[in-house]
Amino acid sequence: MILDKFKLDGKKALVTGCKRGIGFAMAEALAEAGADIIGVSASLETKGSEIEKSVKSLGRKFSAYQCDFGDRTSLYAFIERVKEEHGIPDILVNNAGTILRRPAAEHPDDYWDKVIEINQTAQFVLSREFGRGMVERGSGKIIFTASLLTFQGGITVPGYAASKGAIGQLTMALSNEWAGKGVQVNAIAPGYIATDNTEALRTDPVRSQSILDRIPAGRWGHPDDFKGPVVFLASAASDYMTGAVMLVDGGWMGR
């Protein structure tokens, strides 16, 4: 039966940036589909977080970690700890990210370096370190959170745009090497979603209206809009889909 292919019973999913927003919804959805969750965010409570409560209420296990993905030493320590305590996860959701806004001519080195480290370098390191084990096992799912700025340049966010463009290329590069070894690598590109990252846009009446005017669906997206796509990409239902960037944007890119 087709719906059985979407089940994730017995799977372990590592979801980065799971404390709020899209990452929270993704972790919750994977748990609803049957997966146990390994959750990490820079400020995630080690006990009693809202995402932990949600996952456990579904009868699934939740393991919480804190990690600053802008600190390479902390990142490697986190990876080793996960390997020791959980082995290689079946599903890796590379969702954690940051955005810093300033016009390109005034965009300082520290803004650029921080965004690239968190949004691009950390994503590659996580994928390489866990992907190696997936390849050895012969199975695995890696899902990146890309962006409309994987395809467009954006305004006042050159570091973010560069990092998300790189995510699209990394998705294809890893897929090219690992598709024949049982590991599917895909990305989800959110449109304009009501999260912390878009607060500055949503509170600017001019920008907010201009964005809404272009979205054929006529609304900002919601984190729950990503539940179906992430379960699909994490499940056997998508075994022949790899190297793709799935748009979840209310029709923005088709306009």
Side-chain angles (χ1 to χ4, degrees):
M1 298 294 288
I2 184 59
L3 291 182
D4 290 337
K5 289 197 170 187
F6 289 85
K7 293 180 179 178
L8 300 175
D9 297 342
K11 302 293 187 181
K12 291 181 181 179
L14 170 55
V15 183
T16 72
C18 69
K19 184 175 179 178
R20 60 176 66 89
I22 293 172
F24 186 109
M26 286 178 166
E28 189 173 58
L30 295 172
E32 289 171 352
D36 293 324
I37 306 299
I38 304 162
V40 59
S41 291
S43 60
L44 182 65
E45 300 90 341
T46 54
K47 289 185 180 180
S49 67
E50 291 304 310
I51 185 59
E52 178 179 2
K53 293 175 185 175
S54 179
V55 169
K56 288 186 173 179
S57 74
L58 296 165
R60 310 313 317 162
K61 297 177 182 176
F62 184 85
S63 301
Y65 296 87
Q66 281 188 1
C67 182
D68 176 4
F69 287 170
D71 182 326
R72 196 81 59 90
T73 299
S74 296
L75 174 62
Y76 277 108
F78 162 71
I79 290 169
E80 290 309 308
R81 189 175 168 197
V82 170
K83 287 181 178 179
E84 290 173 4
E85 297 178 3
H86 302 280
I88 300 297
D90 302 285
I91 303 154
L92 170 61
V93 180
N94 281 315
N95 171 72
T98 192
I99 188 167
L100 294 172
R101 301 177 185 276
R102 194 169 296 178
E106 303 163 12
H107 209 79
D109 287 359
D110 59 329
Y111 273 33
W112 176 273
D113 291 344
K114 181 176 181 178
V115 170
I116 295 297
E117 185 69 27
I118 293 172
N119 291 9
Q120 180 177 334
T121 304
Q123 312 305 313
F124 171 67
V125 172
L126 285 160
S127 300
R128 182 190 64 205
E129 295 302 306
F130 290 117
R132 183 186 301 118
M134 292 178 178
V135 168
E136 292 172 355
R137 184 177 60 210
S139 66
K141 301 278 188 174
I142 298 176
I143 304 163
F144 291 97
T145 296
S147 169
L148 291 180
L149 299 198
T150 300
F151 310 98
Q152 301 176 322
I155 299 170
T156 73
V157 287
Y160 184 82
S163 70
K164 292 301 184 177
I167 289 301
Q169 295 301 114
L170 183 58
T171 297
M172 293 186 286
L174 297 181
S175 176
N176 288 343
E177 294 193 36
W178 295 346
K181 298 176 181 179
V183 179
Q184 291 82 51
V185 185
N186 292 289
I188 299 172
Y192 285 93
I193 313 301
T195 66
D196 292 349
N197 275 2
T198 60
E199 183 177 3
L201 296 175
R202 288 183 289 114
T203 56
D204 181 329
V206 175
R207 288 293 307 281
S208 180
Q209 190 59 52
S210 69
I211 288 167
L212 279 174
D213 287 344
R214 177 172 165 164
I215 300 172
R219 67 173 176 89
W220 286 77
H222 186 276
D224 281 357
D225 291 320
F226 296 86
K227 285 189 167 186
V230 77
V231 170
F232 169 62
L233 292 179
S235 72
S238 63
D239 279 354
Y240 197 59
M241 183 172 178
T242 189
V245 180
M246 178 190 290
L247 286 160
V248 182
D249 65 350
W252 175 279
M253 287 298 294
R255 189 67 176 258

